[in-house]
């Protein structure tokens, strides 16, 4: 158990819908990262927040957005869902923004299925 | 932009044998990470390699880093079935803490 929690574990929804994935980082970690894992794209970085502020952006679609709240939990919002958005979405946390070991610890993931 | 390549993509090996997974990366990476993933599960951190010549060992797994060759290796000694999983290497740069992952190596250890 990494100490990172994600809810829900599974999500099944229809095309065009909107969903919210939630992540709580390890105690004391200020950085939260979101990754998408799919068969065709592999593991891809989406976005990072550090202490409430956006720090880095990857291949995140405009239909996707995220935020980190004052209690450091984060939410990833996916809207106008398409079949291709079906994937495993991981949240990870680390103590720092950059530098040092920057070891990232991953949550159990949310499996999103878009029908 | 950092690119990370792993090979082989799939590795079937017998219990008791040794093998090495290779991870090449395209530009300077300040840190190199190895993760393990069981089917449908999360990623478990195995090693963090911070400097040239770094070598880390845990049980039957040993990871090393050669920054001049831009190469990291994960060596498996006397494989056992419990090591069957997918292994990922990932790199990052000091200015951007996002991880860039390799394609993963699916390891299957057979009796």
């Amino acid at each position: 158990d990494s100490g990172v929690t994600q809810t829900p574990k599974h999500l099944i929804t229809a095309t065009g819908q909107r969903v919210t994935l939630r992540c709580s980082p390890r105690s004391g970690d200020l950085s939260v990262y979101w990754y998408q894992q799919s068969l065709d794209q592999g593991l891809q970085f989406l976005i990072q927040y550090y202490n409430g502020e956006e720090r880095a952006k990857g291949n995140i679609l405009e239909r996707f957005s995220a935020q980190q709240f004052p209690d450091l939990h984060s939410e990833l919002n996916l809207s106008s869902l398409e079949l291709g958005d079906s994937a495993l979405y991981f949240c990870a946390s680390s103590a720092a923004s950059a530098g040092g070991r920057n070891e990232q610890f991953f949550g159990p993931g949310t499996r999103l299925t878009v029908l | 932009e950092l690119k990370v390549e792993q090979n082989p993509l799939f590795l079937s090996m017998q219990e008791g044998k040794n093998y090495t997974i290779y991870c090449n990366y395209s530009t300077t990476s300040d840190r190199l990470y190895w993760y393990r993933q069981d089917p449908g599960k999360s990623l478990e951190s195995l090693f963090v390699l911070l400097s040239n010549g770094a070598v880390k060992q845990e049980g039957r797994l040993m990871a090393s880093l050669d920054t001049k060759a831009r190469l990291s290796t994960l060596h498996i000694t006397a494989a056992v079935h419990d090591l069957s999983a997918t292994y990922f290497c990932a790199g990052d740069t000091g200015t951007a803490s996002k991880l860039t992952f390799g394609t993963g190596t699916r390891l299957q250890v057979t009796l």
Side-chain angles (χ1 to χ4, degrees):
Chain A
D1 185 353
S2 68
V4 180
T5 61
Q6 287 186 251
T7 56
K9 279 192 172 178
H10 302 278
L11 204 44
I12 301 174
T13 188
T15 54
Q17 295 298 305
R18 173 189 167 95
V19 297
T20 298
L21 313 184
R22 183 189 167 103
C23 166
S24 292
R26 292 188 320 155
S27 177
D29 283 357
L30 298 179
S31 270
V32 169
Y33 311 78
W34 287 97
Y35 293 87
Q36 180 194 58
Q37 184 176 34
S38 61
L39 283 174
D40 54 344
Q41 300 284 340
L43 265 162
Q44 289 210 337
F45 168 76
L46 295 178
I47 197 163
Q48 179 207 357
Y49 278 81
Y50 176 77
N51 203 20
E53 291 188 7
E54 182 186 304
R55 277 300 171 96
K57 231 172 180 176
N59 297 325
I60 187 166
L61 299 171
E62 282 192 14
R63 300 183 284 109
F64 296 0
S65 64
Q67 54 184 335
Q68 187 179 28
F69 295 86
D71 67 352
L72 300 178
H73 91 271
S74 177
E75 293 181 356
L76 179 66
N77 300 296
L78 315 176
S79 61
S80 303
L81 286 167
E82 301 175 0
L83 295 177
D85 297 328
S86 296
L88 198 47
Y89 291 84
F90 287 110
C91 166
S93 74
S94 72
S97 173
R101 286 171 57 88
N102 193 40
E103 191 171 2
Q104 294 182 25
F105 296 89
F106 282 73
T110 293
R111 182 169 293 282
L112 173 67
T113 302
V114 183
L115 301 175
Chain B
E1 182 186 333
L2 178 63
K3 288 189 184 349
V4 179
E5 288 185 1
Q6 272 181 254
N7 67 83
L9 294 183
F10 178 74
L11 178 54
S12 179
M13 54 191 297
Q14 285 184 314
E15 273 202 338
K17 299 290 187 186
N18 304 332
Y19 209 82
T20 300
I21 299 171
Y22 297 89
C23 175
N24 292 91
Y25 52 96
S26 60
T27 65
T28 301
S29 178
D30 288 332
R31 289 168 290 260
L32 202 293
Y33 306 81
W34 285 95
Y35 285 88
R36 168 184 170 142
Q37 185 180 35
D38 291 301
K41 303 290 186 184
S42 184
L43 285 91
E44 175 192 353
S45 178
L46 295 175
F47 301 108
V48 181
L49 302 168
L50 298 178
S51 59
N52 188 42
V55 177
K56 296 273 184 79
Q57 181 157 10
E58 181 74 36
R60 300 174 189 275
L61 301 178
M62 183 174 72
S64 65
L65 179 61
D66 181 344
T67 57
K68 291 178 183 171
R70 295 181 184 160
L71 171 69
S72 179
T73 60
L74 181 66
H75 186 73
I76 302 145
T77 302
V80 292
H81 185 259
D82 283 353
L83 290 179
S84 297
T86 298
Y87 293 85
F88 290 93
C89 66
D92 72 356
T93 62
T95 55
S97 45
K98 63 177 186 177
L99 294 180
T100 299
F101 282 88
T103 49
T105 295
R106 186 174 154 220
L107 173 66
Q108 184 176 61
V109 181
T110 57
L111 296 171

